[in-house]
Amino acid sequence: MTNGSAPLLIILPGLDGGGRLSVPFMQALEAHGIQSEAIAYPVSQTMGYDALRDWLRPQLLQRPPFVLLGESFAGPLTVMLGATGLTSLRGIILSTTFARAPVPVPSTLARVLKLPLPLPPVALLARLLLGRWRTPSLQSALRDALATTSPPVLRARAVATLRIDVRGLLPAISAPVLCLHANEDRLLQAGALQSIERGLQRPPETHLLDGPHLLLQAQPIEAAARVAGWLRTLDRGTLAHAATEA
C-alpha cells in the first residue's frame, strides 16, 4: 500500500492538543507507507468540545479522502465529527478513549477543577499515563508537550472530559471504526470500550494491545502495524467489521 492508495490519516491529539507526542507513531506509520498528519488545537483559547468541533469541521471539509484518529481526549471529538456526515471520511480510529466521562465525578468537583490550581507534577502524570513504559525520554516529551499549552486551557479540557457524553451520536456514524485499547490503561474504566461498542451501528474492529493509556507514544511500532493492517483492508473495501482480538 502506498501513500497514493491509502486515505490520509488525520490525528486529533490528546489533552496536550499538539502534535509533538504523535511524531514517533507517525514515523512508524511512514514505514508502512501511510501518510499522516496531526492537527494541533489552538494553544491559548479555552475551547470545549462543541467549539473544537466547529473549529475543525470546516478544515476537514476541504480535505481529500481521509481516516480520522482520535486519541484519548479527542475520542468524543472524533465521534462528534464523524456524526456530522463528512463526505471525505473513510474511517474512524479511536485509541484509548471514551464516549462519556472516563471518571464519574460530582459536578461540584468539576467546578473546583476550573480554579487556577497548579497542574499535577509531570512525574505523577507519567506514572498514570505511561505506567511501566515511562522512560526519561517519554517523560521529557510529555513535559515538553504540556508546556506548549497554557494551564488554564489544559484545565478546561480536563473539565470538558468530565462532562462529555456522546453515546447518543454513535449510531449516526456510518464509517468503519477501529478501536485500540491498552491492557494497562490506568485512566479509563473497563466500561469505556463497552459503551462505544454498544452504541455503534456495526461492531468495530477492536485490538487490545500491551501498553498504557498513552498507547501510541509507548508502543508506536505495534500500534502503527495494527493501524496499517486495518487501513489495508479498508483500502481494499474488505474490512471485517466484527473482527476482535484480545
Side-chain angles (χ1 to χ4, degrees):
M1 182 170 56
T2 64
N3 288 349
S5 64
L8 172 69
L9 181 64
I10 296 179
I11 300 170
L12 302 182
L15 197 72
D16 66 286
R20 289 189 179 192
L21 290 175
S22 300
V23 170
F25 175 63
M26 295 169 69
Q27 291 173 338
L29 286 170
E30 188 175 359
H32 291 277
I34 305 297
Q35 181 184 359
S36 64
E37 67 173 89
I39 298 182
Y41 315 140
V43 297
S44 58
Q45 299 180 45
T46 302
M47 302 171 71
Y49 279 110
D50 288 344
L52 282 169
R53 175 201 57 204
D54 295 343
W55 178 78
L56 281 163
R57 192 171 189 277
Q59 302 177 54
L60 297 176
L61 288 173
Q62 308 302 319
R63 301 291 185 134
F66 65 91
V67 169
L68 197 59
L69 187 157
E71 177 187 10
S72 188
F73 166 83
L77 183 58
T78 302
V79 170
M80 294 167 77
L81 289 164
T84 64
L86 294 166
T87 56
S88 294
L89 182 65
R90 296 294 180 265
I92 285 174
I93 301 173
L94 300 172
S95 179
T96 55
T97 191
F98 48 91
R100 62 172 175 173
V103 181
V105 297
S107 59
T108 52
L109 179 56
R111 288 195 293 270
V112 169
L113 291 175
K114 282 188 171 182
L115 298 175
L117 303 171
L119 296 173
V122 172
L124 179 60
L125 290 174
R127 285 181 177 273
L128 175 65
L129 301 176
L130 291 165
R132 62 185 174 92
W133 284 267
R134 69 186 184 280
T135 63
S137 60
L138 277 176
Q139 187 164 311
S140 177
L142 179 61
R143 179 184 296 106
D144 292 345
L146 293 173
T148 62
T149 303
S150 70
V153 171
L154 290 173
R155 279 194 296 270
R157 289 175 187 163
V159 170
T161 68
L162 301 179
R163 294 175 169 171
I164 194 65
D165 189 343
V166 296
R167 288 175 296 172
L169 298 179
L170 288 167
I173 294 176
S174 58
V177 177
L178 169 67
C179 290
L180 298 178
H181 299 275
N183 65 348
E184 294 191 30
D185 192 328
R186 296 180 175 179
L187 186 64
L188 299 184
Q189 296 182 333
L193 168 60
Q194 287 78 13
S195 66
I196 292 174
E197 290 182 325
R198 285 196 297 264
L200 290 168
Q201 283 188 31
R202 52 192 180 188
E205 180 171 324
T206 300
H207 293 281
L208 180 65
L209 305 185
D210 188 32
H213 182 70
L214 291 186
L215 179 65
L216 305 185
Q217 291 71 33
Q219 298 280 47
I221 295 175
E222 175 66 14
R226 298 301 179 107
V227 168
W230 184 76
L231 287 174
R232 288 189 190 99
T233 61
L234 182 63
D235 187 52
R236 292 197 303 268
T238 58
L239 187 63
H241 300 300
T244 302
E245 280 194 15

